[in-house]
Amino acid sequence: MNMNDADWLTSGPQNSNAGQQQQQQQQGWAMPPTGTGTGTPAPGQMLHQQQHQYNPQPQPQPTMANYPPRAVSMTSSSFTTSSSSLNNNNNYGSRTPPTAIATSNTNSTNYNSSNRSINTTPTPRTTMKTPASTTSTNNNSNNNILVANRAADEETEDGRIRNREASTKIRDAWIYKQIRSRQDEFTQYKQGRVFIGTWNVNAKGKDESLSSWLCADWQQHGPPDIVVVGFQEMVDLNAVNVAVENKSQSRSAFWIDRIRATLNSRQNTQGDPSRSYTELAVKYLVGLLVCVFVKSPHKPRVKYVHTDSVGVGVMGVMGNKGGVSIRLQFYDSTLCFTCLHLAAHRENVTGRNADFANVYNKTSFEIGSEAVQEMIRLGSMSQWAMGTASVGVPDHDLVFWFGDLNYRVDESIPTERVLQLSEAGMLDELIEHDQLNVERAAGRVFHDFEEGKLEFKPTYKYQPGTDMYEQRPDKKLRAPAWCDRILWLAQEPGHVAQMNYLRSELNCSDHKPVMSTFLVTIKDVILAKREGVYREVMQMLDTYENNSLPMVSLDKLNLDFGLVRYDQRVTLPIVIANTGEVVAQFRLAPKVDENALCKPWLTVSPTYGMLIPGEKTEIELTITIDNSTAHRLNTNREVLDDVLILRLENGRDFYISVSGQYARSCFGMSVDELVLYSDPIRDVPLDPILRAEKYDLNSKAAMCVPKELWRIIDAIYERGLDERDLFTALGDPDEVCVIRECLDTGAPFGKFSVHSVAEVLTLFLSNLISPIVPVSIFPTLDIDAQNIQMFTRKFLEDMQPIQYNVFIYIISFFREVLLHREKNRLSPAKVAR
Amino acid sequence: MSNRVCHFKLVLLGDTAVGKSCLVVRFVRDEFFEFQEPTIGAAFLTQTVALDDATVKFEIWDTAGQERYRSLAPMYYRGAAAAIIVYDITNPDSFAGAKSWVKELQRRGDTNVVIAMVSLWEFGKNAGNKADLESRRKVDFNEANAYAEENGILHMETSAKNSNNVRALFVEIAKSLPKTIQQPEREAFPIMPQKQESRNCC
Ligand SMILES: Nc1nc2c(ncn2[C@@H]2O[C@H](COP(=O)(O)OP(=O)(O)OP(=O)(O)O)[C@@H](O)[C@H]2O)c(=O)[nH]1
Ligand SMILES: [Mg+2]
C-alpha cells in the first residue's frame, strides 16, 4: 500500500505548520483539535537506560552514555509536525535545556523523576516536586560499566597501557552520541494517537460491543492509529487455570473477537478497508491478555513485533500475577506495551512494588541483532547494547504500562470514608492517599513513569452488572480504589501527551474498564539524511584524526653530492621541521628485507629524533669512499645512489634520494686492470661495454707495470733519493690528495715534496685490491738460510707476469733507495716495515 | 552506517602521475589540486566509509609511483586488505604498469587482498575543461574491463577532478571486504551479562 495515501487520522484539523513537510501532510498524520487542553508531559529528561535491571532506587546514569540535554519539541497547545526544524545548528553540549512547560496532567501526581539522568551538565528540571530521594547516594553496581570485557589491557613496551577494544567502543560511543544529538536533523516527527485500554474482567464477559470503552473518544478525536487493549482475570485465577492453558486460549480468542468486532464494525469502517484495524500481536498468560491493533494502512511500517510474558504469582513464576508485553517498531519509533496484574490486598504495597520490579527486570524481547542494530542506528537505543540480540523495557522510545496494578487508597482513610468520597466524586483527598501516587513519589515503583491526573472515580470494587460500589451485606466491604491504571515512559520528553484518561461504564465485571488516548510523536527517520549526518560526524572525526597525524617538512628530498673522490668525506645537511600539530618522532627505516639503513658509503647522523611542533633540526648525510667501497665502485658493482626511508612514527614515510658521481681512482684497483689502460683512469668508463669498446682488454697489449706506479717512482727519482727520512716522514695530506688526483686525471705533477709523493706510493701499494704477492705463495716461516735460494726461485716462478714485473720493479726501486741510505737514513728494516 | 568499525589497510599503487594522490585527497579531504606534487615516500591517511552493516575505517597508504621507488612498494602492500591500482586512460603504458602491479600483488600480496583497478576519466556534464580526456583515450574501457573480470578484480573509471565515482569506489571496496573474519570477536558490554552473545566482525 502506498503510504503517501495512507489514511491517517484526519479528524483533527491540520496544523498549519504541517505544510512545511509536504510528505507529512500527504500522510495526514493525526492532528488533535487545538486547544483541547491536553498537555505535554513534564520534560522529565528521560535518558536511555543502559541496564535492564529496574532498580527502584534512583541511580545516576553512567557518564559515558549521557546525552546532551534536548530541547523540547512541542508546546502544550500546539502539536506540530515540525520535523527537522529544531536545533539544526546544534552542537553537542550546547543544546537548549528542556524548557519548563506547565502541564495539566502532572499537577496532581507531583511526580517527576530526575535521577535517571544525571548529565555532565546540570539540566534544569521542571519537576514540580523533586523527590527527596534524588539526593540519595548511588549504591548501584550497574553504574560501574566495564567498557571492554574481552580484550585485556595490554602494556606496551613504553609502559603505556592500551586496550583497542575499549578504545574502539569509546570512539563508537562518541559517534553515536553525536548522531543522537543531531537526530532532529534526520528525523521527521509525526503525530499519531495511541489508545490504551485496560480491564479486569473478573472472568466475566458477554457478547456486547466494547465501543463505549474502546471508541469513546472517536467522536471527538477520530479513530487512533494504534489500539492496545489489556485484560486481567480473563479466567478465574484458580489452580487449574494457572496450570492449564486451554481456558486462557479460548477466553483470549473471545476477547480478541470482541475487540475486532468493535473496531472493525461496519459503522466504523463503512466498508473502507483502510479504516479497518489489523491485529499485530496477542499475548496471554493465564488471566492476562494484551493485544495490539494498528490501523491497516500503517501495517507496512510495523516491524519487529515481539512478545514476552513474566509470571510473578505462585512460586514466583506461575502466572496468576505478572505482566504480558508486546513490543514493536512503528515507523522508526520503538514501542513497548505491558499489561500487568500486580499483587492484591490493600496492605500489600511492597508485594506490588516487588511484582512491578520483577516484571520490569525480567521482561525482554529477543528481537535479533539486526533489529538491535537498527534501533541503534535510529537513535532509539544506546550503543552499549552492541552485540546483543535482545532488548528490555527501557530500550524503547515509548513505553506504556497498564493493568490492574491493585494499588488502593491507603489505610489512613477509613473504608467508609473512602466509599463516601468515591461515591461523591470528591477525589482530591483520595488521590493524595493513593498508594501508587505515594510510592511513586517516594521513588519506590514505576520509576520515571508518568501518569495523568485521575479525574474519574475509583474503578473498583463494583457490584457486577451495576454501577454501584459493592456494598452488599454478604460481601466484604472494600474501600474503592483506582486499581486500574495507565502509565507511560517516554525517552524524549514531550513525545507522549495524554489527551484523556477516562473510565468506561461497562459493568459485567467488578472493575470498570479504564482507557486513555495519547498523542505520541513518532519518528520517521529519513535514512539519506541520517547517513549524511553520520558521514559528517565521521568526516569531522577523520579530519581530526588526520590532522593529529605527525607531519614534518624536509627542505630537500634529493641530495646530489656531485663528484665524489676517493678518501674524501662529503657532508650535506637536510633540515627537518615539525610542521604538524603533534610531537613527531622520526627515524630512518631499513628497506624491505634489509637490515642496514643505507649503503655502506653513506653515514647519517642522527638516524632518529623527535621534534615538538615548530621545532627543526638538521640531519647530516656523509659520503665516505674508502678502499673497501672504492673497490666496488671501481668495478661498477656499486653506484653512488641510494634511497633512505625517513619514517614518522604513526605517520607517513619520506624518501630521501642520495646520489653522486664517483670520481674513478687508481686507488683501490688491481695492477692487472691498471696495466690495460693507457689513459688516465678517470677517463676510463665504468661501464664494461664502453670500456671494452675503447680498450684492448687482451693482456698482451698491456703495459708491463701500471703507468701510475711508474709516474710515482719517476717523481721520487726526480726529487732525489737523498732526501732525509724518505719513506718514514709523512707527506702533506693536501699534497697527497692533489698528487692522487693528478695520477687519476693524468695532469702533470706540480711542486710536491718528495715525502708526499713517497706517501702516495705507500698508499697506492697498500690500497691495491689484491696484494702484489698473492697470499697463496706468501713466504712461510720455515724459510731458513739453507733453503732460501731455492725458495726464492720458486716464489718468483709462481708469480703472474704482471705481479712479477711490479714486484721486481719495486724491489729494484727500493734497492736503489737503499744505496742512498747515508743520506735518506732509510734502512732495510725500515723498508721492510 | 553501523556501530561496528572494521579497520582495513588499503594501498594505492600505479605508475607515477596517474592520479593516486589526487584520488586519495578527493576521498579524504574532498579537494582537488591541478598540480599535485609527485609523492616521494608514502602518504598515510585514514577515512571512514559507512555501510549498512558495518563501518569501515580505511588506513590508506598512497605510494610513490616513480620507477625508482618501485622496489619499496612491498612494504606498503604487505598485509593490506585492499589495493587500488590506478592507471590513466590516456596513457597505455600506465595500463601496462597496472597489469604488472596486479601480477605482483597476485604473486606476492596477501591472497585475500581485494584489488580494484581505477582509471581517471572525466565523464558526464561536469567534466569541465578536461572533457577532452575522452578524446585522448588510449585504453579501451572494454579491454580493461575484460582484463579485470578475468582476474576477478573490481574495475571502475573515476575522476578525482570532478569527484565522479570516487566515494563509490571506496564503498564498493568496503563492501567486498570480508568483515566477519578480519578481526577478533567483540562482545557486548557486560551490562546484560545473561544475554551476551558473541558476534563476529570487528
Ligand atoms: N583530468 C584529471 N586529471 C587528474 C585527475 N587526477 C589527477 N590528475 C592530474 O594528474 C596529476 C598527477 O596526479 P597525482 O595524484 O599526483 O599522481 P600520482 O599517481 O599520485 O603520482 P605519484 O605520486 O608520482 O605516484 C595531477 O597533478 C593532476 O593534475 C583526474 O581525475 N582528472
Ligand atoms: Mg602521489
Side-chain angles (χ1 to χ4, degrees):
Chain A
M1 190 173 303
N2 182 347
M3 283 315 296
N4 282 345
D5 300 320
D7 181 20
W8 286 82
L9 296 177
T10 51
S11 67
Q14 293 280 340
N15 186 300
S16 56
N17 291 342
Q20 297 168 339
Q21 291 291 336
Q22 208 184 350
Q23 197 192 347
Q24 285 175 308
Q25 198 177 34
Q26 284 172 348
Q27 290 198 344
W29 281 81
M31 280 307 108
T34 47
T36 49
T38 56
T40 308
Q45 188 65 26
M46 306 299 162
L47 282 191
H48 197 76
Q49 275 89 62
Q50 274 69 54
Q51 62 273 25
H52 281 191
Q53 300 302 309
Y54 182 82
N55 189 319
Q57 291 306 312
Q59 49 192 258
Q61 204 59 17
T63 342
M64 301 266 295
N66 284 339
Y67 294 111
R70 297 187 52 81
V72 172
S73 59
M74 298 191 296
T75 61
S76 58
S77 59
S78 83
F79 296 99
T80 70
T81 48
S82 68
S83 66
S84 54
S85 55
L86 304 155
N87 285 302
N88 274 342
N89 55 347
N90 51 33
N91 292 316
Y92 164 53
S94 65
R95 300 192 56 132
T96 334
T99 45
I101 296 171
T103 65
S104 58
N105 56 358
T106 49
N107 288 340
S108 57
T109 49
N110 285 337
Y111 176 82
N112 195 335
S113 71
S114 58
N115 33 33
R116 276 257 168 148
S117 52
I118 291 173
N119 277 275
T120 41
T121 50
T123 309
R125 296 276 156 208
T126 56
T127 326
M128 256 63 47
K129 193 203 280 177
T130 310
S133 54
T134 46
T135 53
S136 73
T137 52
N138 159 48
N139 55 0
N140 176 21
S141 60
N142 284 335
N143 198 32
N144 306 317
I145 288 181
L146 256 174
V147 175
N149 65 331
R150 171 165 285 247
D153 287 355
E154 282 171 34
E155 189 169 344
T156 57
E157 276 172 24
D158 57 4
R160 287 201 228 181
I161 295 171
R162 295 215 170 80
N163 188 320
R164 174 126 177 169
E165 183 194 2
S167 142
T168 310
K169 282 181 175 177
I170 291 166
R171 188 175 182 271
D172 289 350
W174 182 87
I175 293 166
Y176 282 90
K177 189 162 74 180
Q178 295 296 309
I179 292 167
R180 260 183 82 108
S181 75
R182 292 174 59 178
Q183 65 176 296
D184 288 352
E185 291 175 43
F186 54 81
T187 308
Q188 253 184 7
Y189 294 108
K190 302 178 179 225
Q191 301 293 317
R193 280 204 299 277
V194 175
F195 170 90
I196 307 281
T198 175
W199 194 11
N200 182 324
V201 291
N202 195 24
K204 307 280 191 320
K206 49 185 181 185
D207 191 1
E208 62 182 343
S209 164
L210 303 176
S211 72
S212 72
W213 173 34
L214 304 183
C215 315
D217 64 355
W218 287 24
Q219 275 314 44
Q220 194 186 356
H221 301 307
D225 301 287
I226 298 175
V227 173
V228 183
V229 188
F231 294 90
Q232 304 83 39
E233 294 192 52
M234 295 192 290
V235 297
D236 276 327
L237 300 182
N238 60 37
V240 176
N241 285 337
V242 169
V244 186
E245 262 197 357
N246 286 354
K247 187 91 182 277
S248 301
Q249 190 177 17
S250 64
R251 291 312 287 168
S252 132
F254 169 83
W255 284 114
I256 300 295
D257 282 348
R258 298 280 78 66
I259 296 166
R260 194 184 290 114
T262 305
L263 296 178
N264 292 341
S265 69
R266 259 228 76 75
Q267 187 196 345
N268 285 339
T269 63
Q270 293 166 359
D272 177 358
S274 71
R275 288 170 161 251
S276 71
Y277 286 85
T278 304
E279 174 195 314
L280 290 178
V282 175
K283 184 72 176 176
Y284 61 82
L285 174 73
V286 194
L288 281 165
L289 169 69
V290 65
C291 58
V292 177
F293 285 78
V294 70
K295 257 198 142 186
S296 303
H298 292 312
K299 181 76 200 309
R301 294 299 306 267
V302 175
K303 276 200 270 195
Y304 308 125
V305 182
H306 290 265
T307 65
D308 190 28
S309 63
V310 174
V312 295
V314 181
M315 317 274 285
V317 286
M318 300 300 267
N320 61 332
K321 294 289 187 306
V324 286
S325 307
I326 296 173
R327 65 85 59 195
L328 50 92
Q329 183 173 321
F330 186 63
Y331 290 74
D332 294 316
S333 287
T334 51
L335 280 63
C336 172
F337 306 103
T338 300
C339 172
L340 293 160
H341 195 184
L342 305 181
H345 306 300
R346 194 173 179 185
E347 68 287 354
N348 194 13
V349 174
T350 51
R352 287 186 273 282
N353 290 355
D355 283 355
F356 166 82
N358 221 340
V359 176
Y360 190 94
N361 289 339
K362 286 186 182 159
T363 299
S364 88
F365 307 93
E366 291 291 320
I367 65 173
S369 51
E370 190 186 318
V372 171
Q373 289 284 319
E374 191 168 327
M375 282 175 77
I376 293 170
R377 289 214 292 274
L378 298 172
S380 285
M381 192 175 172
S382 89
Q383 69 289 341
W384 302 100
M386 202 151 53
T388 62
S390 64
V391 290
V393 177
D395 295 320
H396 293 85
D397 291 321
L398 307 173
V399 176
F400 294 92
W401 275 36
F402 45 89
D404 181 358
L405 309 184
N406 254 325
Y407 288 92
R408 316 293 168 94
V409 174
D410 70 32
E411 283 150 306
S412 63
I413 311 181
T415 304
E416 289 75 11
R417 184 164 161 74
V418 176
L419 196 58
Q420 252 174 14
L421 291 171
S422 299
E423 282 178 323
M426 294 166 65
L427 308 179
D428 290 351
E429 189 183 342
L430 299 178
I431 286 170
E432 204 177 307
H433 290 273
D434 173 77
Q435 290 168 339
L436 181 58
N437 291 345
V438 172
E439 292 303 294
R440 286 181 57 226
R444 286 192 286 264
V445 78
F446 276 99
H447 206 272
D448 275 348
F449 280 80
E450 297 177 64
E451 192 192 13
K453 187 181 181 185
L454 293 163
E455 283 172 329
F456 50 86
K457 290 181 189 176
T459 52
Y460 177 78
K461 178 181 183 177
Y462 278 87
Q463 184 181 331
T466 75
D467 291 330
M468 295 183 307
Y469 287 110
E470 180 66 81
Q471 294 176 65
R472 283 175 292 180
D474 56 322
K475 306 278 179 182
K476 181 170 181 258
L477 186 68
R478 288 178 196 269
W482 286 288
C483 290
D484 309 284
R485 311 285 276 266
I486 299 170
L487 293 91
W488 72 92
L489 173 71
Q491 239 182 76
E492 296 294 332
H495 278 193
V496 175
Q498 194 170 40
M499 302 173 78
N500 53 44
Y501 191 18
L502 309 163
R503 61 175 242 183
S504 152
E505 301 306 325
L506 290 173
N507 63 14
C508 65
S509 165
D510 55 357
H511 288 253
K512 295 290 181 192
V514 169
M515 66 279 202
S516 178
T517 301
F518 297 90
L519 184 68
V520 296
T521 303
I522 296 294
K523 296 192 284 189
D524 192 2
V525 168
I526 307 146
L527 278 177
K529 281 194 189 171
R530 195 265 179 213
E531 214 138 317
V533 169
Y534 183 88
R535 202 169 291 161
E536 279 174 39
V537 169
M538 296 308 282
Q539 183 67 51
M540 172 170 67
L541 196 54
D542 284 335
T543 303
Y544 272 112
E545 286 178 355
N546 284 328
N547 288 345
S548 59
L549 293 173
M551 191 33 76
V552 298
S553 78
L554 301 174
D555 68 335
K556 44 190 170 299
L557 288 169
N558 266 307
L559 292 181
D560 187 355
F561 282 78
L563 212 56
V564 184
R565 295 183 170 80
Y566 179 82
D567 197 28
Q568 186 186 16
R569 288 170 61 89
V570 190
T571 297
L572 288 178
I574 293 184
V575 177
I576 173 170
N578 185 342
T579 51
E581 287 161 20
V582 295
V583 170
Q585 288 189 356
F586 67 87
R587 64 186 159 92
L588 291 188
K591 293 170 204 85
V592 203
D593 302 328
E594 279 183 29
N595 296 322
L597 299 176
C598 55
K599 298 280 176 61
W601 40 264
L602 187 65
T603 51
V604 187
S605 174
T607 55
Y608 59 88
M610 191 172 100
L611 298 168
I612 60 171
E615 193 184 358
K616 55 173 123 173
T617 193
E618 248 181 31
I619 301 178
E620 289 191 334
L621 290 89
T622 305
I623 293 187
T624 321
I625 314 272
D626 56 19
N627 67 354
S628 66
T629 42
H631 295 162
R632 299 179 62 80
L633 290 164
N634 277 328
T635 50
N636 204 32
R637 275 177 290 158
E638 176 77 61
V639 284
L640 293 181
D641 188 36
D642 198 7
V643 176
L644 305 186
I645 302 169
L646 183 113
R647 177 158 295 167
L648 299 184
E649 207 58 43
N650 290 322
R652 61 164 293 170
D653 288 353
F654 291 91
Y655 297 157
I656 300 168
S657 291
V658 176
S659 60
Q661 235 98 51
Y662 173 58
R664 264 197 111 167
S665 172
C666 58
F667 283 62
M669 288 189 69
S670 67
V671 288
D672 307 70
E673 196 181 354
L674 283 172
V675 295
L676 297 175
Y677 310 131
S678 48
D679 292 319
I681 191 67
R682 186 69 46 84
D683 298 340
V684 177
L686 273 166
D687 184 66
I689 296 167
L690 290 177
R691 211 159 58 218
E693 279 172 5
K694 201 164 170 190
Y695 302 101
D696 182 356
L697 298 180
N698 189 330
S699 58
K700 287 191 192 111
M703 293 165 283
C704 35
V705 293
K707 59 186 180 307
E708 289 83 3
L709 181 63
W710 178 84
R711 280 191 70 191
I712 302 169
I713 289 178
D714 190 50
I716 297 174
Y717 269 120
E718 213 171 82
R719 281 162 183 77
L721 302 179
D722 294 342
E723 187 73 28
R724 193 182 161 142
D725 290 338
L726 187 64
F727 286 104
T728 50
L730 283 174
D732 176 67
D734 291 340
E735 281 187 6
V736 169
C737 276
V738 178
I739 295 166
R740 188 162 54 209
E741 190 66 9
C742 292
L743 284 177
D744 291 340
T745 58
F749 290 144
K751 267 180 70 80
F752 305 125
S753 92
V754 71
H755 293 305
S756 299
V757 187
E759 187 179 340
V760 169
L761 176 62
T762 323
L763 286 171
F764 175 81
L765 294 174
S766 59
N767 276 304
L768 289 171
I769 287 180
S770 48
I772 295 160
V773 181
V775 184
S776 56
I777 56 166
F778 210 78
T780 48
L781 286 174
D782 37 62
I783 301 175
D784 54 31
Q786 272 80 46
N787 63 12
I788 187 150
Q789 287 271 306
M790 178 207 60
F791 195 91
T792 309
R793 179 163 304 124
K794 175 155 179 13
F795 174 77
L796 291 173
E797 278 170 1
D798 281 354
M799 282 182 101
Q800 297 293 310
I802 302 212
Q803 273 83 6
Y804 177 84
N805 288 347
V806 172
F807 185 74
I808 296 298
Y809 184 55
I810 293 169
I811 294 294
S812 315
F813 170 68
F814 278 110
R815 189 186 293 154
E816 187 82 25
V817 172
L818 288 173
L819 288 178
H820 299 255
R821 83 177 80 169
E822 270 99 72
K823 305 260 173 57
N824 58 29
R825 296 181 169 210
L826 196 68
S827 64
K830 284 183 187 166
V831 173
R833 234 188 288 142
Chain B
M1 175 165 137
S2 157
N3 51 328
R4 301 180 292 147
V5 180
C6 308
H7 295 249
F8 291 106
K9 177 175 168 184
L10 180 148
V11 62
L12 281 107
L13 301 167
D15 288 1
T16 187
V18 292
K20 297 182 293 297
S21 301
C22 286
L23 191 70
V24 175
V25 168
R26 171 60 81 192
F27 176 52
V28 172
R29 301 200 189 278
D30 203 13
E31 290 170 343
F32 178 78
F33 303 108
E34 200 71 53
F35 304 103
Q36 178 74 37
E37 303 238 339
T39 308
I40 311 293
F44 177 78
L45 287 165
T46 65
Q47 182 73 8
T48 315
V49 169
L51 299 178
D52 281 340
D53 57 340
T55 296
V56 168
K57 186 170 183 194
F58 285 119
E59 286 160 358
I60 305 167
W61 284 98
D62 169 26
T63 64
Q66 291 177 15
E67 186 56 36
R68 84 188 243 94
Y69 307 121
R70 173 149 191 160
S71 63
L72 298 170
M75 205 151 49
Y76 307 101
Y77 66 66
R78 247 183 212 179
I84 298 178
I85 296 170
V86 187
Y87 68 94
D88 176 355
I89 56 156
T90 65
N91 177 357
D93 288 349
S94 74
F95 181 60
K99 285 178 171 173
S100 77
W101 278 114
V102 171
K103 281 209 192 72
E104 178 165 344
L105 274 186
Q106 286 168 342
R107 204 174 64 240
R108 300 186 53 191
D110 242 306
T111 46
N112 292 324
V113 65
V114 171
I115 305 176
M117 252 174 130
V118 170
S119 55
L120 298 179
W121 184 42
E122 262 79 75
F123 54 90
K125 48 185 181 304
N126 23 347
N129 52 0
K130 282 267 187 156
D132 59 340
L133 265 191
E134 180 62 33
S135 64
R136 294 192 282 124
R137 180 193 273 278
K138 300 262 172 49
V139 180
D140 182 49
F141 178 78
N142 292 328
E143 182 196 333
N145 226 25
Y147 173 82
E149 233 163 76
E150 233 168 77
N151 287 276
I153 63 187
L154 226 72
H155 179 238
M156 258 178 149
E157 291 190 337
T158 64
S159 166
K161 192 184 170 89
N162 63 23
S163 289
N164 266 325
N165 261 347
V166 172
R167 180 158 282 278
L169 164 72
F170 285 88
V171 167
E172 267 324 297
I173 294 171
K175 278 185 187 161
S176 44
L177 285 166
K179 281 165 262 351
T180 43
I181 43 168
Q182 194 67 27
Q183 269 134 32
E185 286 191 345
R186 255 215 227 164
E187 262 184 17
F189 290 68
I191 41 170
M192 291 172 272
Q194 75 280 19
K195 284 168 196 145
Q196 271 169 18
E197 189 200 50
S198 45
R199 296 194 105 258
N200 280 342
C201 173
C202 353

